[in-house]
Amino acid sequence: LKLLLEFVRKISTPKKTVIVFILLFFFSAIIYTKNVSNVILKLETETDRYLLLKLEIDLENAVHLYNMGLNNWKRLDYPRAARDISAALEQISEQRSQETIEVAKINNSLGCLYLDMGKYEDANDCLNSAYNTFRDELGYDSLEARAAKAALAQYDFSTGNYEQALREAQEII
């Protein structure tokens, strides 16, 4: 910068003004470009941090809703339990589409809750979804798949399909 100022002092006045403006424009353009790229990089980093933080908050909220639903279920407050567990299922499904096991666990709980409430068609949908996921992801012999199959047997028993309930119970054993 000192060399540049000495060079400008040696040049005549009209040329000096033009050169100074050109140099100022050139340096301003360089500084602007560098700052813009830093701002964009910082903005992308901040956006990533925000999205990760939002994801963590949403997942914590989903876990909280799920636990509240289980507590309401224990207190036999079925409508609130169904609302909370359904909300947790929705949030987990939106955030973690690749995490099918968590979704299946919530579906299984929701299906069992619907059985207790007497909402058999809703229970059947949730339990079948949970069983199919557990079977596909963890295998037929997994504890989760067997638990979901047992809940399906309970569904069949509750709806009067005793033969199907017996077959499913035998498959578990």
Side-chain angles (χ1 to χ4, degrees):
L1 190 59
K2 287 182 182 180
L3 291 174
L4 184 64
L5 290 174
E6 287 179 27
F7 175 74
V8 170
R9 285 185 196 149
K10 292 180 183 177
I11 300 175
S12 64
T13 307
K15 289 181 181 177
K16 196 185 287 187
T17 308
V18 171
I19 290 177
V20 167
F21 279 123
I22 290 173
L23 290 174
L24 286 175
F25 176 75
F26 179 71
F27 284 123
S28 297
I30 290 173
I31 292 170
Y32 175 77
T33 305
K34 197 170 200 175
N35 284 341
V36 166
S37 64
N38 286 341
V39 167
I40 290 172
L41 182 63
K42 185 176 180 182
L43 194 63
E44 288 173 356
T45 306
E46 291 298 319
T47 303
D48 290 343
R49 280 192 206 134
Y50 169 76
L51 291 175
L52 286 174
L53 183 61
K54 184 178 182 326
L55 177 65
E56 288 176 16
I57 290 171
D58 287 346
L59 292 177
E60 287 177 10
N61 190 34
V63 169
H64 177 71
L65 284 169
Y66 180 69
N67 289 331
M68 282 179 41
L70 293 178
N71 286 333
N72 286 327
W73 186 2
K74 286 178 188 174
R75 287 188 260 146
L76 304 178
D77 188 356
Y78 296 132
R80 283 187 181 167
R83 181 196 67 210
D84 292 341
I85 293 175
S86 294
L89 176 63
E90 185 178 312
Q91 285 189 2
I92 291 285
S93 296
E94 288 174 2
Q95 298 298 323
R96 290 190 166 190
S97 59
Q98 74 277 8
E99 300 290 339
T100 56
I101 300 300
E102 283 84 359
V103 172
K105 287 178 182 178
I106 296 173
N107 262 329
N108 193 50
S109 295
L110 193 57
C112 291
L113 172 64
Y114 285 148
L115 279 177
D116 284 352
M117 295 173 68
K119 295 183 173 185
Y120 298 118
E121 292 307 313
D122 293 333
N124 188 34
D125 294 341
C126 291
L127 293 172
N128 275 318
S129 174
Y131 173 70
N132 291 333
T133 301
F134 288 141
R135 185 191 63 213
D136 295 344
E137 297 288 325
L138 302 175
Y140 176 78
D141 290 332
S142 69
L143 180 61
E144 290 85 356
R146 289 174 180 250
K149 191 73 164 177
L152 282 169
Q154 182 183 357
Y155 162 78
D156 287 327
F157 185 82
S158 298
T159 56
N161 193 352
Y162 303 117
E163 292 175 11
Q164 179 68 22
L166 180 61
R167 277 193 303 272
E168 288 177 346
Q170 288 173 341
E171 287 176 13
I172 297 168
I173 298 171

